[in-house]
Amino acid sequence: MKIGILTSGGDCPGLNAVIRGAVLKGIKSHDQEFVGFRDGWRGVVEGNIIDLPRHAVRGISKQGGTILGTSRTNPFDGNGGPEAIKATMDRLGVDSMIAIGGEGTLAAAKRLTDAGLKIVGVPKTVDNDLDATDYTFGFDTAVQIATEAIDRLRTTGESHSRCMVAEVMGRHVGWIALHAGMASGAHAILIPEQQTSMEQIAEWVMDARDRGRAPLVVVAEGFVPTHMDEAHSDRGLDTYGRPRLGGIADQLAPEIESRTGIETRATVLGHIQRGGVPSAFDRVLATRLGMAAVDSVVEGLWGTMVSLHGTEIARVGFEAALGNLKRVPQQRYEEAAILFG
Ligand code: F6P
């Protein structure tokens, strides 16, 4: 059996560990062969593949990015669609696919599976916003990177008695902000799930300052203050037609400064959070998910994705993965908010 692997959507530390886990388990336990589709669904539509023998995955679990490349290509656009993809897979001798990606990728995989293609999924999102899995690989690494960066902002903020505003990723959900903010002892954590007024933010900043601290605010890119209707975006749209986020920290900083009189600086961490080597936790999780995806192929569990439930790897249907975003629950926010100010 020849299996094609693709990585699609925004990249994420741990993608290569999934690929390695799948290839090693498939070769060792099931005598399978592997190819990789280049640049996500684009490689599937164009039939652009590379061979993935065992030596191609040697040592890659600690490597950031994806050796296959990725894109936000929609497999139903242009020359795509199930018939064309089926014909391409037949020509290449590829029987089935492992699609590693987020909501957009899994939605496309569901449509293709419904049309008869043999696909299993591996969830990927640095934002940790997929509901059907407890954690996604890449999230732990992003939190580590953000925490280290915020710790550094803290010392320069303290030296100058400034308020520092650190912006992290999180389009729809605030998991990175919540975890990195708690880990770094932020005086305010601002997330998409909780609209917050400038008055409240200024109050937390003043409280911290009054106790002799250099105030630290951690904000997710998708945060919406009460005086705004939607997340800040001035960078146009991405290829899925979604607003490109980033820059809310630059909007908040002058507002905080004018309300509190405290000199304030903003830092947008951006794609640094998605780059570089994955954490040990992410390497292990990604490897286990890759191995489990191969088992799903052997069992013919088309239309399902592997996921983490507690410490066990489970299988869930694509529809369960696509139904809901995993938002930060009210209780988790309130728990963190005890520490604000
Ligand atoms: O979905 C993950 C994510 O990192 C979001 O947090 C962010 O808005 C987006 O991807 C950035 O995408 P791109 O890499 O296309 O700029």
Side-chain angles (χ1 to χ4, degrees):
M1 184 184 251
K2 196 190 272 185
I3 303 169
I5 303 180
L6 66 124
T7 53
S8 172
D11 76 339
C12 184
L15 284 168
N16 287 325
V18 178
I19 297 167
R20 174 176 169 274
V23 169
L24 292 188
K25 174 91 193 257
I27 291 173
K28 287 180 159 205
S29 299
H30 307 298
D31 206 20
Q32 290 155 333
E33 273 182 77
F34 290 85
V35 294
F37 290 102
R38 282 203 185 273
D39 300 333
W41 293 115
R42 188 189 302 147
V44 178
V45 172
E46 295 174 357
N48 187 357
I49 57 172
I50 54 168
D51 285 334
L52 286 179
R54 184 170 175 173
H55 68 79
V57 300
R58 190 184 291 153
I60 65 169
S61 63
K62 56 185 170 300
Q63 201 173 305
T66 162
I67 60 165
L68 300 177
T70 186
S71 70
R72 296 196 191 271
T73 304
N74 183 335
F76 290 87
D77 285 349
N79 297 326
E83 297 307 321
I85 290 174
K86 180 82 179 61
T88 304
M89 287 175 68
D90 288 347
R91 175 170 61 79
L92 299 170
V94 177
D95 309 281
S96 58
M97 276 190 267
I98 296 175
I100 312 168
E103 215 193 343
T105 306
L106 297 174
K110 179 176 183 338
R111 282 180 70 190
L112 292 170
T113 309
D114 290 346
L117 275 84
K118 296 176 174 175
I119 308 176
V120 302
V122 178
K124 173 240 52 152
T125 140
V126 82
D127 292 355
N128 197 38
D129 59 3
L130 276 175
D131 196 34
T133 184
D134 288 351
Y135 284 101
T136 41
F137 64 86
F139 169 68
D140 182 70
T141 306
V143 170
Q144 296 284 350
I145 294 169
T147 302
E148 194 198 316
I150 295 166
D151 285 347
R152 289 173 189 277
L153 292 176
R154 194 68 177 267
T155 64
T156 168
E158 279 163 359
S159 302
H160 292 263
S161 300
R162 286 173 174 156
C163 171
M164 305 303 276
V165 183
E167 178 180 314
V168 298
M169 281 186 167
R171 167 172 287 276
H172 303 293
V173 303
W175 286 108
I176 296 177
L178 185 83
H179 281 227
M182 276 187 94
S184 57
H187 301 109
I189 300 173
L190 310 175
I191 59 176
E193 294 88 337
Q194 299 283 339
Q195 270 201 302
T196 310
S197 68
M198 286 311 307
E199 290 77 27
Q200 174 64 82
I201 297 168
E203 195 180 312
W204 284 325
V205 167
M206 290 299 287
D207 284 351
R209 174 59 171 269
D210 291 348
R211 289 183 297 106
R213 309 303 308 279
L216 171 66
V217 177
V218 175
V219 59
E221 62 184 354
F223 168 67
V224 185
T226 47
H227 66 277
M228 287 169 60
D229 294 328
E230 51 194 28
H232 172 77
S233 170
D234 58 6
R235 301 173 182 186
L237 303 178
D238 67 15
T239 47
Y240 284 168
R242 305 178 310 175
R244 289 183 60 216
L245 303 185
I248 181 66
D250 292 312
Q251 305 296 310
L252 297 179
E255 191 63 32
I256 291 172
E257 185 165 308
S258 79
R259 283 171 183 265
T260 64
I262 303 169
E263 193 180 355
T264 303
R265 295 283 191 271
T267 301
V268 179
L269 295 181
H271 291 81
I272 284 174
Q273 294 159 93
R274 291 205 330 226
V277 298
S279 67
F281 178 89
D282 282 337
R283 292 181 209 184
V284 173
L285 174 59
T287 303
R288 293 180 70 206
L289 290 173
M291 293 197 296
V294 159
D295 292 338
S296 294
V297 169
V298 171
E299 291 170 42
L301 300 175
W302 316 124
T304 66
M305 70 165 206
V306 289
S307 73
L308 184 68
H309 287 184
T311 57
E312 298 303 315
I313 306 294
R315 271 88 181 169
V316 295
F318 284 152
E319 61 284 353
L322 297 169
N324 294 305
L325 281 175
K326 185 171 60 204
R327 296 194 164 83
V328 173
Q330 184 68 21
Q331 168 269 329
R332 284 295 309 272
Y333 175 76
E334 285 169 9
E335 179 183 74
I338 305 252
L339 307 169
F340 295 176

